[in-house]
Each structure stands twice: as structure tokens, then as C-alpha cells.
């Protein structure tokens, strides 16, 4: 019987090795799988390459992972925000490597890895420092830059509902990078608030099919966050 549920986040993250590439879903704090990131922090893996939309907010979640010195390199689109002080400190001290990727390119590179695409040309970044050293080509009179897929050893994503096969649905914009990261990783781990029986999810509402998910952890929903917004 296929059952991808794991009892705790710590068990789900137990085999992350030093030097692994880890994708973490979320757009800022929306859809960030905080409980999984906290488990990764407790687990102890070091020298990680992290793929995320930004470089952490405040002192929790991804920011805490950075503050603990566990990340060797971050691949993201928005490293500088008002509360990204841990990344800022580490980068200025030369203690973390940054690969800056335009957001559309970041999403497409992840999607390409999941779709089995070897490489693709995009106009984004042409003529800038981001295209330095990359192959370029003129296609139909427009300049393009060659970009390669971005895969990972692990993907940590947050979903709303899931069943024991790993079929997932999301809560509004918390979806963001979750589906494409799940497809691009060797091991995709999802946290869910609600567990449903097989067949309860309308197939048309399944955003991430279970074939892309290896482990699922149920996280009880906090009643509210600040301002009365559900977590």
C-alpha cells in the first residue's frame, strides 16, 4: 500500500546530506514551509545550496538557516529586502555565494528540470552582467541567452491538502514555486494542513500529482497569525 506520510518533519528531513541542493518554496513568507525548514535546521546538514525566491526574511525560517552558517550558496531573485539582514551580513563578509537569477528565468529553469528540457534560450538578461560568459544567439532578429535547467536533491514545499499518495492542492498564492520545485527535485517533501482520503480530492483540483512527491508531513494549522490571517 502506497503511503507517503511521515510522522514528523524531523523524520522527513533525516537524510539530507552535507552539500545537498535544496529548493525551498515560498514567495517571501507566502507558502514558505517553515516547519520543514526548522527541521532542516535541527537536522544539521551544512554547505547547502539553497534555491528560493529570496534570501530569507527576519530571523526565522530560511533566515535562521542562513544565520546558522549552514548555507554555502543561495540561488535566488531577490536577495536584498529590508529584513534580509542575515544574508546581507554574510554576503558582505564573503561567507556566502550568490547566484542572482531573474525571477522568470528562475521559474523556467526549475520548470525545465522537471520537464526534462536540456536548455532554453531567453531574452531576459541579455546585455547585462547576468549574461556574462553565457552563450547568446540571435533568433528572428532578437537577442537571446542560453540558460540551463536547475534541479535539486530535495524540495521543501507547503501545500494545503494532501492524500497518502502525495496528491496535493494549495491555498491561493501559497502555491507559487511549489509545483515546479516538486517536479525538479529527486526527493520532494510536502507539508500539508489537511489530510484527505484517496478519492476525496477532485482530480481537476489536484495541482501536484503524487508521482512528484516522495514524503508528506501533516502540520496542524495554527488558528490565526497576526492580523487574523490563517497560516
Amino acid at each position: 500500500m502506497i503511503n507517503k506520510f511521515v510522522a514528523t518533519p524531523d523524520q522527513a528531513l533525516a537524510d539530507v546530506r552535507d552539500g545537498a541542493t535544496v529548493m525551498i518554496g515560498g514567495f517571501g513568507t507566502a507558502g514558505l514551509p517553515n516547519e520543514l525548514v526548522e527541521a532542516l535546521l535541527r537536522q544539521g546538514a551544512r554547505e547547502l545550496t539553497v534555491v528560493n525566491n529570496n534570501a530569507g526574511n527576519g530571523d526565522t525560517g530560511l533566515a535562521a538557516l542562513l544565520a546558522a552558517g549552514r548555507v554555502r550558496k543561495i540561488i535566488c531573485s531577490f536577495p536584498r529586502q529590508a529584513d534580509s539582514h542575515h544574508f546581507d551580513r554574510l554576503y558582505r563578509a564573503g561567507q556566502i555565494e550568490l547566484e542572482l537569477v531573474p525571477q522568470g528565468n528562475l521559474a523556467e529553469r526549475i520548470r525545465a528540470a522537471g520537464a526534462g528540457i536540456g536548455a532554453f534560450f531567453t531574452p531576459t538578461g541579455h546585455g547585462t552582467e547576468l549574461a556574462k560568459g553565457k552563450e547568446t544567439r540571435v533568433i528572428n532578429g532578437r537577442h537571446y541567452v542560453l540558460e540551463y535547467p536547475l534541479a535539486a536533491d530535495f524540495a521543501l514545499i507547503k501545500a494545503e491538502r494532501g492524500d497518502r499518495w502525495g496528491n496535493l492542492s494549495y491555498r491561493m498564492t501559497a502555491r507559487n514555486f511549489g509545483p515546479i520545485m516538486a517536479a525538479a527535485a529527486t526527493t520532494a517533501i510536502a507539508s500539508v494542513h489537511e489530510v484527505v482520503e484517496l478519492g476525496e480530492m477532485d482530480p481537476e483540483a489536484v495541482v501536484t500529482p503524487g508521482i512528484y512527491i516522495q514524503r508528506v508531513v501533516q502540520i496542524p494549522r495554527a488558528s490565526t497569525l497576526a492580523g487574523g490571517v490563517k497560516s
Side-chain angles (χ1 to χ4, degrees):
M1 182 181 72
I2 298 174
N3 186 352
K4 298 180 180 180
F5 277 97
V6 180
T8 67
D10 296 88
Q11 291 178 19
L13 275 294
D15 60 346
V16 179
R17 66 183 184 280
D18 290 353
T21 296
V22 182
M23 290 180 175
I24 300 176
F27 190 94
T29 57
L32 183 69
N34 279 304
E35 293 82 4
L36 298 181
V37 177
E38 289 167 1
L40 181 59
L41 186 60
R42 292 190 295 271
Q43 190 262 2
R46 310 187 67 85
E47 295 292 307
L48 300 173
T49 294
V50 169
V51 182
N52 185 256
N53 184 63
N54 66 320
N57 299 88
D59 299 299
T60 61
L62 175 55
L65 199 64
L66 294 172
R70 307 277 283 284
V71 180
R72 178 186 65 82
K73 177 180 180 180
I74 188 160
I75 303 172
C76 71
S77 298
F78 298 99
R80 296 290 303 279
Q81 299 183 94
D83 59 352
S84 298
H85 47 269
H86 289 299
F87 169 80
D88 190 71
R89 171 181 56 82
L90 292 167
Y91 187 73
R92 290 177 184 275
Q95 295 175 347
I96 192 169
E97 183 181 347
L98 169 66
E99 181 178 342
L100 187 64
V101 184
Q103 190 176 71
N105 286 6
L106 181 68
E108 185 62 10
R109 288 180 65 190
I110 296 169
R111 192 198 70 81
I117 295 172
F120 62 93
F121 281 99
T122 174
T124 305
H126 183 270
T128 73
E129 285 294 310
L130 298 180
K132 188 175 181 180
K134 297 179 180 179
E135 180 182 342
T136 61
R137 186 176 297 184
V138 177
I139 303 174
N140 293 329
R142 191 175 187 184
H143 293 277
Y144 288 81
V145 180
L146 184 66
E147 296 285 356
Y148 289 92
L150 185 56
D153 301 300
F154 294 86
L156 313 184
I157 63 176
K158 179 179 180 177
E160 181 69 12
R161 309 174 79 209
D163 61 26
R164 63 178 175 85
W165 283 1
N167 296 310
L168 305 176
S169 64
Y170 300 81
R171 183 175 185 268
M172 298 186 288
T173 56
R175 176 191 305 190
N176 53 71
F177 289 89
I180 57 174
M181 285 184 171
T186 301
T187 302
I189 304 169
S191 66
V192 299
H193 286 309
E194 183 181 352
V195 174
V196 298
E197 295 296 326
L198 290 179
E200 284 189 30
M201 298 177 67
D202 182 346
E204 296 297 324
V206 173
V207 179
T208 299
I211 192 172
Y212 294 117
I213 301 297
Q214 282 68 51
R215 300 169 195 163
V216 183
V217 182
Q218 184 180 15
I219 304 295
R221 180 188 294 284
S223 57
T224 56
L225 295 173
V229 179
K230 291 183 179 179
S231 64

